[in-house]
Amino acid sequence: LGLGLVQQGRDILLRHRHQQRAGGNRVTFPHRPLGEVRIFMDGAFDMMHYGHCNAFRQARAVGTYLVVGVNDDASITRCKGAPPVMDDAERLAMVASCKWVDEVVPNVPYVMNDEYLAWVIQRYRIDFVVHGDDQCIVDGRDVYETAVKMGKYRTIPRTEGVSTTDIVGRMLLVT
């Protein structure tokens, strides 16, 4: 991963922290372009692979503007029991470099509560939350149940045959 991309990820984190300190939650937006449909997708996106890129492509096709939230290291570790291979800045840089991604949101919790999801929808003017058709259950709860209840949830087909877990497993077999 080039140093320029990692610096881009760090810059995203710094801008986000600065906006939070400056009251970034109260930003007002101009009217959206006619026909714009804003999509939100979130995930760890560790060791970015073609399955992630295909998910971004499919999610973007649901609308016209794709906002991608990247789960922070701490919440991934808490929910998955192990830290991601790539750190926050590296994962942010990889997601931001994808041509189908229009905007990146750092520090998204792995499990979004009702208040956080409502904030994301309002702050980024989201029409639909998109995830793969594989259910995401943490502590017996569907991570996207709030979006489902709001009628703002859409699924896309998961890319079969590739996952970060599978790639890490194959790497361990080589050693």
Side-chain angles (χ1 to χ4, degrees), residues 8-28:
Q8 180 183 9
R10 289 187 182 117
D11 291 346
I12 292 168
L13 283 170
L14 289 173
R15 272 195 312 274
H16 180 72
R17 288 181 191 132
H18 176 73
Q19 287 173 342
Q20 284 181 318
R21 281 193 291 271
N25 294 357
R26 291 173 291 203
V27 173
T28 57

Side-chain angles (χ1 to χ4, degrees), residues 6 10 13 46 70 73 84-93:
V6 173
R10 289 187 182 117
L13 283 170
D46 198 13
V70 178
D73 289 347
V85 174
M86 298 171 72
D87 68 23
D88 283 331
E90 292 168 322
R91 292 180 295 108
L92 284 164

Side-chain angles (χ1 to χ4, degrees), residues 7-174:
Q7 186 58 49
Q8 180 183 9
R10 289 187 182 117
D11 291 346
I12 292 168
L13 283 170
L14 289 173
R15 272 195 312 274
H16 180 72
R17 288 181 191 132
H18 176 73
Q19 287 173 342
Q20 284 181 318
R21 281 193 291 271
N25 294 357
R26 291 173 291 203
V27 173
T28 57
F29 293 95
H31 289 97
R32 68 169 50 181
L34 188 62
E36 182 178 69
V37 177
R38 295 175 68 92
I39 305 302
F40 180 78
M41 170 179 256
D42 72 306
F45 308 115
D46 198 13
M47 297 184 64
M48 189 113 145
H49 51 71
Y50 72 87
H52 295 135
C53 293
N54 191 39
F56 297 150
R57 181 189 61 77
Q58 291 180 77
R60 178 73 187 288
V62 173
T64 59
Y65 189 92
L66 179 60
V67 179
V68 177
V70 178
N71 304 138
D72 63 281
D73 289 347
S75 70
I76 293 168
T77 302
R78 197 169 37 259
C79 292
K80 290 193 170 193
V85 174
M86 298 171 72
D87 68 23
D88 283 331
E90 292 168 322
R91 292 180 295 108
L92 284 164
M94 291 305 296
V95 171
S97 70
C98 184
K99 72 178 186 177
W100 293 291
V101 176
D102 296 297
E103 190 170 349
V104 180
V105 181
N107 301 321
V108 173
Y110 192 81
V111 178
M112 296 179 288
N113 63 26
D114 294 354
E115 295 79 28
Y116 187 84
L117 184 59
W119 176 80
V120 163
I121 289 170
Q122 186 274 326
R123 169 69 171 84
Y124 296 97
R125 301 173 295 154
I126 299 302
D127 296 296
F128 299 105
V129 175
V130 172
H131 188 266
D133 55 10
D134 53 324
Q135 264 194 314
C136 188
I137 307 293
V138 175
D139 295 330
R141 178 179 176 232
D142 182 347
V143 172
Y144 298 100
E145 75 179 80
T146 300
V148 170
K149 288 179 192 171
M150 296 173 77
K152 291 188 169 281
Y153 184 72
R154 300 292 183 269
T155 61
I156 54 173
R158 183 182 180 287
T159 305
E160 293 298 324
V162 65
S163 72
T164 301
T165 303
D166 180 54
I167 292 170
V168 170
R170 285 187 278 157
M171 290 171 63
L172 291 173
L173 289 174
V174 172

